[in-house]
Amino acid sequence: MKEPAKKVEETSQKDIHLYTAPTMNGWKPVIFLEEAGIEYDLTYVDFSKNEQKDKDYIKNINPNGRIPSIIDRSNNDFRVFESGAILWYLAEKYNKFLPRNANEKSITMQWLMFQVGGIGPMMGQAMYFQRIAALNGENNQFSIKRYVDESRRLFEVLDKQLASHEFIVSNEFTIADIATYPWARTYYWANVPIDGLPNLKAWFDRIDNRKNTQRALEIPHPRWAFFGKGDIRSQEIENAENFQSDFKSVLNGNK
């Protein structure tokens, strides 16, 4: 896996070592750390080389062979995988982006789970069938419609919540916003319409204007095609190729 360009000396190691890639889940801890102003070490996990499936990575970092993952060196090298769990861990550790009020804390957890169990999987499948399966010769319109429609329904739920809140939980930017934004904001990549959702659009605008969040979307490197910008066709081809082995494995019944 690619380490940061400048080798980090033992004495200058940061508490948090993040393993990630430029994906919707991969950006979540980056957004948190950049917004919180916390220094961290970064290892870029290269999907084109299948580094997330490396035996050492699975054994020592993430047993599920996915990103993101963190190691907290200040806590006896404690390891955390799964993006939602990472956000909760960081929020508790640094006392950031998580309300102290017990009820609002629970509400934050509920909306975090709404993203982890709803928006993420539905959007992910909508993207998969359109941007990966279709480009690899498997055009399943039934699946595409199912996941696009369900993603739109979840957006409508979110739009209603945002009708009376500046951010998802209240007027406070929380890990619920951090988790949901990179997924919902890539509606273009999933071809999910957002017409008639003014509160969602206004929420996008508010977070689009957060400089630290926008900087985070360029780490480890930007993929603006996910947001409908730049060289979309080249990114689509690269994305499909990165997951081609996984796709063939599914077709062959190996997963």
Side-chain angles (χ1 to χ4, degrees), residues 98-110:
L98 186 63
R100 294 295 98 188
N101 175 275
N103 287 350
E104 287 194 351
K105 189 174 183 180
S106 175
I107 293 170
T108 304
M109 171 66 87
Q110 292 168 49

Side-chain angles (χ1 to χ4, degrees), residues 48 136 236-245:
S48 69
N136 281 288
E236 187 177 48
I237 293 171
E238 177 188 333
N239 190 63
E241 288 176 347
N242 283 345
F243 293 95
Q244 194 173 62
S245 60

Side-chain angles (χ1 to χ4, degrees), residues 1 26 28 46-47 49 79-80 82 105 108 131 136 143 145 156-158 161 165 172 183 194 202 209 218 233 236 244:
M1 286 173 285
K28 291 179 192 176
D46 191 341
F47 291 164
K49 297 179 181 178
R79 291 160 187 166
V80 188
E82 291 298 319
K105 189 174 183 180
T108 304
R131 302 291 183 175
N136 281 288
S143 296
K145 185 177 187 307
E156 291 171 0
V157 173
L158 188 58
Q161 175 67 9
H165 299 85
E172 179 181 352
W183 278 106
I194 62 168
N209 287 322
E218 298 189 344
R233 181 58 179 167
E236 187 177 48
Q244 194 173 62

Side-chain angles (χ1 to χ4, degrees), residues 16 23 25 31 41 57 83 117 129 143 171 177 196 207 252:
I16 300 298
T23 70
N25 282 336
I31 293 172
D41 289 329
Y57 181 80
S83 60
F129 279 101
S143 296
N171 293 322
D177 300 285
I207 302 182
N252 293 333

Side-chain angles (χ1 to χ4, degrees), residues 87-138:
L87 287 180
W88 194 266
Y89 180 86
L90 292 173
E92 292 275 20
K93 176 181 175 67
Y94 293 108
N95 193 25
K96 295 277 189 179
F97 311 127
L98 186 63
R100 294 295 98 188
N101 175 275
N103 287 350
E104 287 194 351
K105 189 174 183 180
S106 175
I107 293 170
T108 304
M109 171 66 87
Q110 292 168 49
W111 284 101
L112 176 62
M113 294 301 102
F114 175 80
Q115 184 281 306
V116 170
I119 287 180
M122 294 302 103
M123 289 281 285
Q125 292 296 334
M127 294 173 185
Y128 177 85
F129 279 101
Q130 295 177 87
R131 302 291 183 175
I132 297 173
L135 268 67
N136 281 288
E138 187 69 20

